Amino acid sequence: MASGKAETEDTATGRRGRPRSAATTAAILHSAYTLMATTGLAATTIDAIAKHSNVSKMTIYKWWPSREALLIDAFLDQASRAVPLPEAGNPVARIRRHVATYVEALQGEFGRVQLAVISECISQTGTAELFYERYLGLRRARMLEIIAAGQKDGSIGAPGVPGDIYDAIYGSLFYRYVFGIKPLTPAYARNLVNLVLRPHAEA
């Protein structure tokens, strides 16, 4: 959490007061994700999360503006561990590693929860933007930086806007996952990355 004045402001609601307890926040996020993965989104109510985490509903409502915001944050918290953003290596290696990790995660509960959260956001007016703001936009921006760095140092030969390159890779993966056209395999992921990035031989 940021230091100074920001410590007294709630990050979700903008209210001033005591800073969040890291342990309590972690318990709420863990409970929300666990319930999504085991009982489904419909059963993951604020009441259920409060009971599972042993935290009052008042605290949850104070820290999150809506149930949807909490579910997205819980998914983001899990994603930071299941599909961490790559920190080391050249741009091509980092993207390859991230894509491989994402494909593996999609095969399990992470993929099911992601699809459920996105489906709920699409069905709820205005919350698709919330998903982008709190989850996708942050991670996408970081990957765009990596793609741009690869274009700059020459390891990525693909021309064009980094956002289009990102969408070509991750959009293809998610499209294949959602519609089950063909299995998502490590070989497919590697070939897709090579096809889109056009990496130099040494990358």
Side-chain angles (χ1 to χ4, degrees):
M1 184 176 291
S3 60
K5 185 177 179 181
E7 289 184 346
T8 62
E9 187 170 345
D10 184 274
T11 57
T13 64
R15 297 173 182 170
R16 298 185 181 279
R18 298 174 61 187
R20 290 190 186 191
S21 160
T24 302
T25 299
I28 294 169
L29 294 175
H30 174 73
S31 291
Y33 183 84
T34 298
L35 289 170
M36 285 191 287
T38 57
T39 66
L41 256 68
T44 308
T45 63
I46 295 296
D47 282 341
I49 296 169
K51 182 177 180 179
H52 190 278
S53 62
N54 197 30
V55 176
S56 72
K57 289 193 295 181
M58 182 180 298
T59 295
I60 294 175
Y61 280 120
K62 178 182 178 183
W63 289 353
W64 280 275
S66 66
R67 170 179 171 271
E68 290 77 21
L70 171 53
L71 299 186
I72 292 168
D73 282 358
F75 178 71
L76 174 59
D77 180 66
Q78 178 66 19
S80 68
R81 289 185 291 275
V83 191
L85 292 171
E87 297 295 338
N90 67 59
V92 173
R94 294 163 78 182
I95 294 169
R96 282 176 175 153
R97 185 165 63 250
H98 188 261
V99 166
T101 303
Y102 181 53
V103 166
E104 182 179 0
L106 283 176
Q107 311 305 313
E109 72 173 28
F110 180 88
R112 296 192 301 273
V113 173
Q114 176 179 265
L115 186 57
V117 171
I118 292 174
S119 298
E120 173 136 329
C121 286
I122 291 173
S123 68
Q124 297 288 333
T125 303
T127 53
E129 290 82 358
L130 190 65
F131 183 85
Y132 185 87
E133 174 190 336
R134 298 176 85 94
Y135 171 72
L136 181 58
L138 301 174
R139 297 174 68 82
R140 187 175 188 273
R142 183 67 188 114
M143 296 304 295
L144 296 192
E145 292 175 0
I146 296 173
I147 293 170
Q151 289 178 312
K152 184 176 181 179
D153 69 18
S155 60
I156 293 176
V161 179
D164 291 343
I165 295 172
Y166 174 94
D167 292 342
I169 295 174
Y170 291 91
S172 296
L173 293 174
F174 193 64
Y175 177 84
R176 179 172 285 213
Y177 171 72
V178 170
F179 293 102
I181 299 170
K182 290 183 179 179
L184 275 179
T185 64
Y188 170 77
R190 286 193 302 270
N191 291 336
L192 177 64
V193 170
N194 289 336
L195 176 66
V196 175
L197 294 186
R198 303 180 194 176
H200 287 176
E202 64 274 14

